[in-house]
Structures are given as C-alpha cells and as structure tokens.
Amino acid sequence: MDVRRLLLVPVLLAVLAFSGPAAAQGYVVQPGDSLYTIAQRFGTTVDKLRAANNLWHTSEIWAGTWLRLPAGLSHTYTVQAGDSLYLIAQRLGTTVTQLRQANNLWGTDLILVGQVLAVPRSGAGSNPGGGSPPPGSGIHLSPSDLDLLAQLVTAEAEGESYEGQVAVAATVLNRLRDPRYPDTVSGVIFQYVNGLPQFSPVANGRIYLPATETARQAVLDALKGWDPTNGALGFYNPAKTSNQWVRQQPVTSAIGNHLFFRIP
C-alpha cells in the first residue's frame, strides 16, 4: 500500500476546509507529532484536544490532518492571507528557525490561512497583528522583471525548499547591488562571461518556462529583505559542477542541494 496516498487524503481535506468564508483555527499535524506533543506545544491538555476534535476513541493522528485547537490559547499566532514563515518571524521578533523548532516544521514550508502556530517565547511579547514590517531590499522591480526573476527561480530551484528558492532570488538581487554586475534583472540573468552564461537555465532554455506561484512568492520575500545566503553572489550544486573556480570561492550558506558563495 502506498503510504503517500494515505497521507494525501487528510492534506487535501485540510486544504478543502479553507474553501468556506469562515475557516476554523487549527493545527496541521506534522510527521512525528502526537496528541501529547501537540498539547505541550500549545500549552493545553490532551483531553482538551480530544474534546475539540471528538477523538475519545483513538490516539492515532496522521501527518497532514487538520486538528481544531481549543479556544483561549496563549503564545500562538493565526496565519493570515499572504503570510510566510519569514514574514511571521519578522512580525513576532523571532526567526524562521525558531518557528520551525516550535512547530516541528522541518519538512515543509506550507502554512495555511487559519493555521495556528506556536510562538517561541522570545517572540511572545510581540503584537501578532502589528509590529514593524521587515526591512526591504531597497530594490523595486517592474512586473516583467518580477516574472523573469521568478522564471529563473523556477528553473534553478523548483525542487528545492522554499528557503532555497528565496536564496536564488536573493543572489540575483545581491548582484544588482554589486557594481561588478549589470544593474538590471535581465542584464544579470542573461550575462555572459568569456562566452559562457552565468546561469545554466539560460544555456539549456529552461529560463523560458513559466514561473510557479511559489517562485513568485519567493521573489517577493527576497524583495522584502530575506536573504538566507548571507550576501552571496553566486551558487552551485557541488554534485553537478566541475568548475574549480566556483569551488574556490568562500561559501556563505548551504541550502538544499546548493552552496552559495561570495566573491571577494
């Protein structure tokens, strides 16, 4: 039996639960969760979770299942439309890593409107509905530039995590700021050095594939200031490149299959 198919059903049910105008607040069960660990995470009890979800005759829960949380919980944040882990972390004065740790979100970047996240104690005093917006990148792109950059992110990192996709977008934005590179998105993406393109999708034609919505959101998060690469100007997959020059550059971050580097 294909376990992935079994897990897909509750995930779809969770998504469909949001089709109505007034979705209930709740929690998406992650791999390794139990009623006890979820109760501990949100400062409630197993009995209250059972009562909220009519789970008196079983303790079995599936990854992807939507659980209703008891009312009146403290140190929580309810996901709003347009949210990402990065934006929530900025709003609450915490970090993406701390949010992942608090909510056991290591295997996914998916968050749903109405989903309740546990807030790390360091961010418990912040105002979930307000606070200062995250600092921007200082770069403003036209709709066509946004689309082109999202196409590059799709071509380079469609199989990577959301953070990895933001990292690719941030690398291009970092080049835009550096006087050693062209000062337009198209100039950076289609730049050739010694007869070779700087990005492989330009050579193989994948740059012209339509951008995914995830890639578009990743570009927007990079424009809002999220740079997981720590200022990188390039990246490569060490399993696929034989370029000795890039391997000699200082690595700033390792995300998924990519190493990101700066150029002194």
Side-chain angles (χ1 to χ4, degrees):
M1 182 177 295
D2 191 341
V3 176
R4 291 173 296 180
R5 292 184 180 178
L6 292 176
L7 295 181
L8 181 60
V9 174
V11 172
L12 290 175
L13 291 175
V15 174
L16 291 173
F18 288 95
S19 60
Q25 296 181 357
Y27 173 75
V28 179
V29 177
Q30 303 299 313
D33 275 345
S34 67
L35 289 178
Y36 174 76
T37 59
I38 295 170
Q40 290 290 307
R41 184 172 300 136
F42 289 101
T44 186
T45 66
V46 171
D47 282 346
K48 287 182 179 179
L49 281 177
R50 290 186 185 279
N53 295 276
N54 194 26
L55 288 174
W56 296 110
H57 301 296
T58 181
S59 296
E60 186 176 15
I61 53 176
W62 290 84
T65 301
W66 180 263
L67 287 184
R68 186 184 298 272
L69 291 176
L73 298 180
S74 60
H75 305 312
T76 62
Y77 174 82
T78 302
V79 176
Q80 308 297 314
D83 273 345
S84 66
L85 289 178
Y86 171 71
L87 293 179
I88 294 170
Q90 290 289 316
R91 187 174 299 133
L92 301 180
T94 184
T95 67
V96 172
T97 298
Q98 288 175 325
L99 276 177
R100 290 187 186 280
Q101 289 174 338
N103 294 278
N104 191 26
L105 286 173
W106 298 110
T108 180
D109 291 295
L110 176 66
I111 53 175
L112 304 173
V113 174
Q115 180 177 343
V116 177
L117 298 179
V119 176
R121 286 298 184 263
S122 60
S126 300
N127 178 9
S132 299
S137 66
I139 295 175
H140 302 280
L141 301 183
S142 68
S144 60
D145 282 342
L146 282 169
D147 193 56
L148 178 59
L149 183 48
Q151 287 175 225
L152 179 71
V153 171
T154 300
E156 288 279 15
E158 186 174 10
E160 298 292 323
S161 67
Y162 184 72
E163 183 180 15
Q165 295 186 47
V166 175
V168 169
T171 300
V172 173
L173 298 183
N174 290 338
R175 288 196 175 197
L176 281 176
R177 298 187 191 93
D178 194 302
R180 293 174 290 182
Y181 294 93
D183 59 1
T184 65
V185 170
S186 60
V188 168
I189 291 176
F190 290 105
Q191 184 182 23
Y192 276 70
V193 176
N194 296 326
L196 297 174
Q198 294 292 281
F199 296 96
S200 59
V202 173
N204 60 32
R206 285 180 54 81
I207 186 63
Y208 300 107
L209 294 177
T212 65
E213 288 305 313
T214 300
R216 295 179 195 279
Q217 185 60 51
V219 171
L220 293 176
D221 273 345
L223 283 168
K224 290 170 183 174
W226 186 10
D227 182 2
T229 75
N230 300 309
L233 290 171
F235 59 90
Y236 62 94
N237 184 333
K240 294 183 177 181
T241 185
S242 59
N243 188 313
Q244 293 304 308
W245 180 84
V246 297
R247 290 178 177 274
Q248 294 171 1
Q249 305 311 306
V251 173
T252 61
S253 185
I255 304 172
N257 292 315
H258 288 139
L259 293 181
F260 294 82
F261 63 88
R262 63 182 176 85
I263 301 172

